């Protein structure tokens, strides 16, 4: 089996909608995992997953804007990620959100918690060292 190595792929053909095999690098998963991709695509269409997937795709699309041609036509984000999370959670009717975080990001976690609560969500949060068990154990 050839490992997928997207991190080494400079052109990122997939992000441009290009799937022409002759262009794709040898380690490209589009080339090497066709049946898995087909299976995953089928699963995205299932009744349980499709609403989640569809709404996440819509939120993502609304979060980016194509810049004017004079600015090289680049696609740029127009919302911070936390706003994407809020909009997505609202769209799928979520009331309660789980927030897990590293102790090194405690300040960020507290701020994310506060933002999410201000939007009316109930938040459950857990730190990585919850349980206070020594790593050597
Ligand atoms: S899926 Fe293929 S084209 Fe896309 S980044 Fe990975 S290797 Fe490159």
């Amino acid at each position: 089996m050839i490992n997928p190595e997207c991190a080494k792929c400079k052109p990122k053909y997939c992000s441009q909608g290009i799937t022409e095999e002759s262009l794709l690098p040898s380690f490209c998963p589009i080339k090497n995992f066709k049946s898995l991709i087909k299976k995953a695509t089928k699963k995205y269409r299932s009744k349980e997953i499709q609403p989640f997937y569809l709404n996440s795709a819509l939120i993502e699309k609304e979060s980016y804007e194509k810049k004017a041609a004079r600015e090289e036509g680049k696609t740029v984000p127009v919302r911070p990620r936390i706003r994407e999370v809020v909009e997505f959670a609202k769209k799928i009717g979520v009331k309660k959100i789980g927030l897990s975080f590293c102790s090194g990001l405690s300040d960020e976690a507290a701020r994310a918690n506060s933002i999410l609560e201000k939007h009316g969500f109930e938040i459950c949060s857990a730190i990585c060292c919850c349980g206070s068990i020594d790593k050597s154990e």
Side-chain angles (χ1 to χ4, degrees):
M1 180 176 52
I2 299 170
N3 286 334
E5 294 188 87
C6 294
K8 291 182 181 172
C9 174
K10 282 209 172 103
K12 306 276 188 284
Y13 293 110
C14 55
S15 71
Q16 303 163 55
I18 298 169
T19 55
E20 202 181 308
E21 285 210 20
S22 61
L23 291 173
L24 302 174
S26 59
F27 51 72
C28 178
I30 295 174
K31 244 180 183 173
N32 304 310
F33 294 91
K34 282 183 193 152
S35 67
L36 185 64
I37 290 171
K38 209 171 168 181
K39 242 165 110 180
T41 309
K42 199 174 163 196
K43 210 148 196 177
Y44 275 124
R45 294 201 175 97
S46 70
K47 216 172 76 188
E48 311 81 57
I49 295 172
Q50 195 183 31
F52 188 91
Y53 170 67
L54 198 65
N55 284 309
S56 71
L58 286 171
I59 290 295
E60 199 221 352
K61 189 170 170 38
E62 290 165 8
S63 301
Y64 288 85
E65 216 167 69
K66 209 161 187 83
K67 279 200 158 190
R70 66 181 153 74
E71 292 174 78
E72 298 167 34
K74 282 184 185 154
T75 303
V76 294
V78 291
R79 284 176 176 170
R81 292 280 189 229
I82 190 83
R83 174 85 190 277
E84 278 189 58
V85 170
V86 166
E87 298 303 331
F88 176 62
K90 285 180 180 172
K91 210 165 197 141
I92 62 169
V94 159
K95 305 269 180 261
K96 193 172 182 178
I97 295 177
L99 177 68
S100 57
F101 62 98
C102 165
S103 61
L105 293 171
S106 295
D107 182 43
E108 288 83 352
R111 284 188 276 153
N113 196 104
S114 161
I115 292 168
L116 295 169
E117 276 182 346
K118 279 183 189 149
H119 280 274
F121 298 108
E122 184 186 344
I123 311 301
C124 294
S125 64
I127 195 165
C128 56
C129 47
C130 174
S132 200
I133 297 168
D134 191 273
K135 280 182 184 166
S136 61
E137 284 189 47

